[in-house]
Amino acid sequence: MDMQQERNPAERSLDRGWNLTRIGGAESLPMDFPGDIHSVLLAHGVIADPYWRDRETSLDWVHDSEWLAERSFAFDGAEGRQTLTLEGVDCHAVVTLNGIEIGRPASRFLRHDFDVTDALVRGTNQLSIRFLSNSAVARDKAASAPFPVPHIHWNNRLPHYNFLRKPQCDAGWDWNIALSPIGVHGGIRLRRSAALRLDDVALRQIHQGGKVRLELDLLTEVFTPIVTDAVLRIDGKVSTERLQLWPGPNRSRIAVEIDDPRLWWPAGHGAQDMYDLDLRIGDQTRSLRIGLRQIELLTDADDIGHRFAFRVNGRQIFMRGANWIPADALPARATPQAVADLLDSAALANMNMIRVWGGGCYEPDFFYQMCSERGLLVWQDFMFACNLYPAQDREWLDLVRLEARQQVRRLSAHPCMALWCGDNELVGAIGWFPESRKDRDRYLALYDRLNHALEEVVATECPDVPWWPSSPSVGPLNFSDGWHDDTSGDMHFWDVWHSAKDFEHYRSVQPRFCSEFGFQSFPSARVIASFTDAADRNLSSRVMEVHQRNPGGNSRIVETLVRYFPFPDRFEDLVWLSQISQGLAMKTAIESWRLSKPRCMGTLYWQLNDTWPVASWSSLEYGGGWKAMHYMARRFYAPVMVAARPDPATGEIVLTAVNDTPAPVALTVALQAVRFAGAGQALGEWRVTCPPDRAVEIARLPGVAADAFLHFDWQDDSGAHQGQNEYLPLRPKEYDLGSPVISATPGMSPEGVPTVTLTSDRPALWVTWDLGGDTIWSDNCITLLPGQPRTLQALRLRRARLPVLPPEARALKGP
């Protein structure tokens, strides 16, 4: 029990010193917040690793139970209004103070501010949070609904979580374990204030005439009439507003103009300049770290349909990135260290945008701060995904409005924020269920209620960040097929994976912006070993099937793999080859779409990371290790890239350059045909200037010998942009690849950085070194040509590792 007063007498943390008991159970465990109950049980040996083998369902008793967290704290009777603030209660709970019920949280996505002035006593106070079973609440709410509101039962092992305001993937997904964590994932604070309490700050930027006007709306709860000053300080400037405030909620505005602003830019386009902003109103203060930038979404009509392009500070920028899901299925493991490791890997793969997907959660402030520091723009979904939702319930819809207002205000200060999107795939979901197909108008009306409520919040709270109704979407108030229309809006293209089509099918569409597409692979042998016994390491074992959540996914990986490669002899080779196959799928798609610039102005593949050890579409496996695909992404997302693709009309192979930097780049491009059993043949060298606004064709070739592939390299005059690539006219298994003799010579650079030099006696494709290890290398999964050594250099060590479990967590005890 923490009886110490905090240093700041106006605010104290109540995060530490809790005791946790299961309702109906006897054992009491110490617990701190932020935290989740599964992680506490794991740390104390009550349960074993949930990710081990097929243990998942044996832990359902955790989310089916109710839990009580209690702590005592001292209160000295200080004058003023006292507010208990809880952030991220997950999600239905009853909060009592000294036996008095003070609130019933019902959303993980809210900050709850409870006035506890009258419930506090001088001396020792007893605070308790009774966590209800989210699963039981979901079932009860679905049963009491006036008509069915279907959920994606084929994805969600736990039913009816569309009635809960918690991460939808907590019920399971086609990549996630279904644990339904319970806990508090933000802070717990006791706040003292005098006449008013500052709850939210909403910031907007107006860029005009080389200046930036900052407008800050201050959302306060006022307890007694007061005349006070609001004071804003930034970059040596001070702005003061005299305010008359009245009891109840108040909204006040203060503004300042910044001359000659230092602009914040996405990665690759300029510096990530930031400003410190300090704010005071009455006795309340707030400090923000902000960046100045102008974000626009261009959706005007053209001769194809409608564009979908981001313009930042007046410059159109091609978005290269991936979709983000929660960093771990156990929230306590999603530490700042683990998140930083994943975002560093995104930046090293030349990404400039992350999409926070709508079935997860609004991330903590440190996530957005890290994105801003790395120049990663954030496409932010509201937290709705792939279900129908009970928008007929006014109380539920009011809860959603409050959630949206709080989250939009909270994130408004982060310069990385590029888009607010209403949801993930809700328009399509209207056609997925028998009930909604039979009565489409009713469920479309429900969707419109929800979507319009979110749009109004964005328009009111954050009009300087673009709004997009849904993903995928052809456009506002357009409920047509965003999965197959490549003329307008953003597209989700899943035909290759879900319909088991060839990788070349990616070239059949030219999206304006593809915000979801992907192909699966297995994690590395190292990760597989972390959740299996030796006997489980077989593709058809039950454990391998449990760690594959997409129905038929393992079969689809193998079915597609053997179209391109001979069937491997060993399980370890199958695992490795699945990663090569995944990388080739994404390389085919992204190179083709980048080469269609400016028709296509962005690709965000599914998905960046994993929540647990699983076969999935991720390029970073659980624990943060780089799959082969992530190394390939570092190359196919290079700002300046040269690639080849076939012209379907003529059959020619077209060599094309694309430049995503702010200025034209002059390239020297050399091309050769390489035979697996012979020497390379030079086919030409070209000088080409590639502008930033469109891809440029370099050369056309009628074809290449049946036993050869194309290999090309490029470099600009400064040496800042260089690389190499290859194009195989045939599938790999159609070549006689032979048996290269490859040598690896470890070394050390003059700066003391580990290196390895790889050589081969004949052409060798996808040569990997230390794949899935803790060292991130400058390159990997590379092509080696005879007589041309390649030296790889260690870029960094990963911060995140696979969790090390205490010995007592190996044996399951249960309730």
Side-chain angles (χ1 to χ4, degrees):
M1 181 173 64
D2 177 17
M3 303 294 288
Q4 300 297 316
Q5 292 284 351
E6 302 293 327
R7 289 183 180 180
N8 178 5
E11 180 173 312
R12 62 179 298 186
S13 170
L14 298 178
D15 289 345
R16 303 179 64 83
W18 293 77
N19 291 305
L20 176 71
T21 56
R22 178 171 169 259
I23 302 298
E27 189 173 12
S28 177
L29 300 172
M31 181 177 190
D32 293 333
F33 293 111
D36 62 85
I37 289 171
H38 284 84
S39 295
V40 173
L41 300 178
L42 178 61
H44 291 281
V46 178
I47 65 173
D49 179 13
Y51 302 163
W52 175 253
R53 303 190 77 236
D54 57 353
R55 186 169 281 151
E56 172 187 353
T57 56
S58 70
L59 302 179
D60 281 349
W61 65 270
V62 179
H63 67 77
D64 281 334
S65 300
E66 294 189 0
W67 298 85
L68 184 66
E70 298 178 289
R71 68 155 288 170
S72 298
F73 65 93
F75 177 63
D76 62 6
E79 294 291 328
R81 188 71 59 162
Q82 302 288 339
T83 300
L84 180 69
T85 294
L86 299 95
E87 297 186 78
V89 177
D90 195 2
C91 70
H92 281 266
V94 180
V95 182
T96 60
L97 180 60
N98 300 323
I100 301 170
E101 182 179 314
I102 59 172
R104 289 182 171 252
S107 172
R108 170 173 174 183
F109 306 133
L110 280 180
R111 182 196 69 249
H112 298 276
D113 297 311
F114 299 125
D115 189 332
V116 295
T117 306
D118 295 334
L120 280 168
V121 298
R122 183 186 294 272
T124 301
N125 289 257
Q126 189 74 18
L127 178 62
S128 69
I129 305 173
R130 180 169 180 148
F131 295 97
L132 307 181
S133 166
N134 292 322
S135 297
V137 171
R139 288 190 292 266
D140 291 345
K141 286 185 173 294
S144 63
F147 52 82
V149 184
H151 69 286
I152 47 169
H153 55 83
W154 56 92
N155 252 13
N156 290 178
R157 186 173 70 82
L158 307 179
H160 308 301
Y161 272 47
N162 53 332
F163 282 85
L164 301 179
R165 294 312 298 143
K166 80 184 262 89
Q168 299 293 268
C169 65
D170 283 353
W173 217 263
D174 53 6
W175 39 262
N176 199 31
I177 188 171
L179 295 177
S180 186
I182 300 168
V184 180
H185 308 309
I188 303 175
R189 296 169 290 151
L190 186 65
R191 297 193 283 162
R192 178 170 59 85
S193 50
L196 63 90
R197 184 185 71 227
L198 177 61
D199 288 333
D200 292 303
V201 177
L203 181 147
R204 66 177 57 88
Q205 306 180 21
I206 302 169
H207 291 244
Q208 193 169 12
K211 300 180 180 181
V212 179
R213 177 179 170 84
L214 290 179
E215 296 181 348
L216 283 80
D217 284 1
L218 315 181
L219 289 302
T220 54
E221 185 70 24
V222 178
F223 310 118
T224 185
I226 184 175
V227 176
T228 190
D229 287 335
V231 182
L232 185 160
R233 290 182 169 86
I234 183 172
D235 198 36
K237 287 196 170 186
V238 179
S239 177
T240 302
E241 289 288 339
R242 192 76 168 166
L243 303 173
Q244 168 71 69
L245 304 176
W246 301 101
N250 282 245
R251 188 180 194 117
S252 312
R253 179 168 294 180
I254 188 169
V256 66
E257 196 166 85
I258 298 178
D259 303 320
D260 301 318
R262 306 187 309 274
L263 295 180
W264 180 96
W265 288 94
H269 286 265
Q272 288 75 55
D273 273 314
M274 307 283 276
Y275 288 79
D276 291 314
L277 184 152
D278 293 306
L279 183 67
R280 178 177 59 81
I281 179 171
D283 62 348
Q284 305 283 288
T285 61
R286 189 75 57 90
S287 295
L288 302 173
R289 183 84 167 146
I290 72 168
L292 306 179
R293 87 289 177 260
Q294 184 180 38
I295 302 283
E296 299 169 275
L297 178 62
L298 309 178
T299 59
D300 49 303
D302 59 15
D303 57 359
I304 301 167
H306 288 81
R307 293 196 297 165
F308 192 100
F310 287 91
R311 186 162 61 195
V312 184
N313 301 330
R315 181 185 302 162
Q316 291 188 45
I317 297 177
F318 190 100
M319 296 300 155
R320 307 183 305 266
N323 285 258
W324 173 274
I325 60 176
D328 206 294
L330 292 175
R333 291 182 178 175
T335 61
Q337 180 187 43
V339 169
D341 181 75
L342 296 170
L343 293 176
D344 281 343
S345 292
L348 282 173
N350 293 307
M351 296 185 188
N352 58 17
M353 177 173 272
I354 296 292
R355 177 187 175 220
V356 179
W357 169 75
C361 61
Y362 309 98
E363 294 292 336
D365 278 306
F366 68 74
F367 171 89
Y368 302 94
Q369 180 179 341
M370 290 176 182
C371 286
S372 295
E373 292 167 351
R374 289 157 177 79
L376 293 169
L377 289 164
V378 173
W379 167 317
Q380 178 70 54
D381 283 0
F382 284 101
M383 292 300 116
F384 304 91
C386 299
N387 285 304
L388 307 184
Y389 286 91
Q392 82 287 345
D393 183 337
R394 292 184 181 275
E395 183 178 342
W396 181 90
L397 195 56
D398 285 343
L399 195 69
V400 167
R401 287 191 178 97
L402 180 58
E403 162 194 324
R405 284 194 291 269
Q406 282 191 6
Q407 296 295 344
V408 170
R409 292 167 183 170
R410 176 176 72 94
L411 300 184
S412 65
H414 295 284
C416 63
M417 290 296 296
L419 186 74
W420 278 103
C421 179
D423 60 75
N424 175 79
E425 298 188 351
L426 262 59
V427 174
I430 297 171
W432 294 351
F433 306 98
E435 297 90 340
S436 54
R437 287 196 296 268
K438 182 179 179 181
D439 192 2
R440 179 177 171 83
D441 287 353
R442 165 181 279 180
Y443 293 95
L444 185 59
L446 285 186
Y447 173 77
D448 183 64
R449 280 190 181 191
L450 170 60
N451 195 255
H452 186 62
L454 299 172
E455 182 180 13
E456 285 188 330
V457 168
V458 174
T460 301
E461 302 290 350
C462 199
D464 59 334
V465 174
W467 154 263
W468 189 244
S470 181
S471 184
S473 176
V474 181
L477 299 179
N478 188 324
F479 302 104
S480 57
D481 186 355
W483 279 263
H484 297 94
D485 188 340
D486 64 353
T487 64
S488 300
D490 76 308
M491 188 180 195
H492 291 188
F493 191 68
W494 281 105
D495 280 5
V496 173
W497 172 256
H498 288 301
S499 300
K501 294 186 178 180
D502 297 342
F503 298 162
E504 293 81 4
H505 187 64
Y506 282 120
R507 299 181 182 132
S508 69
V509 296
Q510 295 185 59
R512 311 312 300 268
F513 192 110
C514 203
S515 48
E516 265 195 38
F517 60 101
F519 201 86
Q520 276 201 5
S521 71
F522 298 113
S524 67
R526 178 188 187 185
V527 169
I528 291 173
S530 75
F531 67 81
T532 60
D533 283 328
D536 300 324
R537 292 161 203 165
N538 183 292
L539 183 64
S540 60
S541 74
R542 168 170 168 74
V543 170
M544 288 300 292
E545 290 174 347
V546 165
H547 288 254
Q548 164 62 268
R549 310 309 276 218
N550 188 241
N554 287 351
S555 298
R556 196 168 303 124
I557 291 174
V558 175
E559 172 194 355
T560 309
L561 183 151
V562 298
R563 295 180 197 169
Y564 294 87
F565 301 96
F567 194 87
D569 295 327
R570 303 183 307 153
F571 177 72
E572 293 81 1
D573 294 335
L574 176 66
V575 166
W576 170 78
L577 206 51
S578 78
Q579 293 198 14
I580 303 302
S581 180
Q582 177 194 34
L584 290 181
M586 294 298 92
K587 180 178 188 289
T588 302
I590 291 171
E591 286 185 349
S592 177
W593 297 339
R594 285 191 68 188
L595 298 187
S596 70
K597 179 184 177 178
R599 175 180 176 128
C600 179
M601 285 299 291
T603 60
L604 308 176
Y605 65 73
W606 186 270
Q607 68 216 56
L608 180 68
N609 56 305
D610 275 331
T611 58
W612 71 308
V614 65
S616 83
W617 298 269
S618 72
S619 63
L620 298 174
E621 63 189 10
Y622 182 67
W626 286 32
K627 292 183 179 179
M629 174 183 158
H630 206 80
Y631 281 105
M632 294 186 194
R634 182 167 158 84
R635 297 196 295 270
F636 62 60
Y637 269 160
V640 177
M641 182 197 68
V642 178
R645 61 177 174 172
D647 184 331
T650 67
E652 296 172 301
I653 301 170
V654 185
L655 193 65
T656 307
V658 65
N659 166 26
D660 291 343
T661 73
V665 173
L667 294 177
T668 300
V669 182
L671 173 67
Q672 61 177 317
V674 179
R675 284 185 162 87
F676 284 97
Q681 176 189 359
L683 298 180
E685 183 173 293
W686 294 267
R687 286 280 296 175
V688 60
T689 297
C690 189
D693 62 332
R694 58 186 173 84
V696 171
E697 183 177 309
I698 300 171
R700 286 177 171 260
L701 289 82
V704 65
D707 62 343
F709 66 96
L710 295 178
H711 187 272
F712 38 98
D713 57 63
W714 63 91
Q715 180 171 313
D716 71 343
D717 293 340
S718 69
H721 301 287
Q722 55 185 310
Q724 50 185 283
N725 201 352
E726 67 280 324
Y727 173 78
L728 278 63
L730 304 178
R731 296 179 176 186
K733 70 178 183 180
E734 298 180 54
Y735 294 99
D736 180 7
L737 300 177
S739 299
V741 178
I742 300 173
S743 65
T745 306
M748 198 72 69
S749 75
E751 296 77 25
V753 177
T755 65
V756 62
T757 300
L758 304 175
T759 60
S760 178
D761 66 335
R762 61 181 288 143
L765 303 173
W766 310 298
V767 178
T768 61
W769 172 259
D770 188 31
L771 187 62
D774 289 331
T775 301
I776 304 303
W777 297 90
S778 56
D779 211 343
N780 218 330
C781 309
I782 60 174
T783 297
L784 288 179
L785 301 181
Q788 299 183 28
R790 294 281 300 276
T791 297
L792 315 181
Q793 183 166 301
L795 288 180
R796 66 174 177 88
L797 288 174
R798 291 192 290 112
R799 292 190 183 92
R801 310 289 170 87
L802 291 174
V804 178
L805 302 175
E808 61 270 21
R810 300 301 297 176
L812 178 65
K813 298 179 182 178

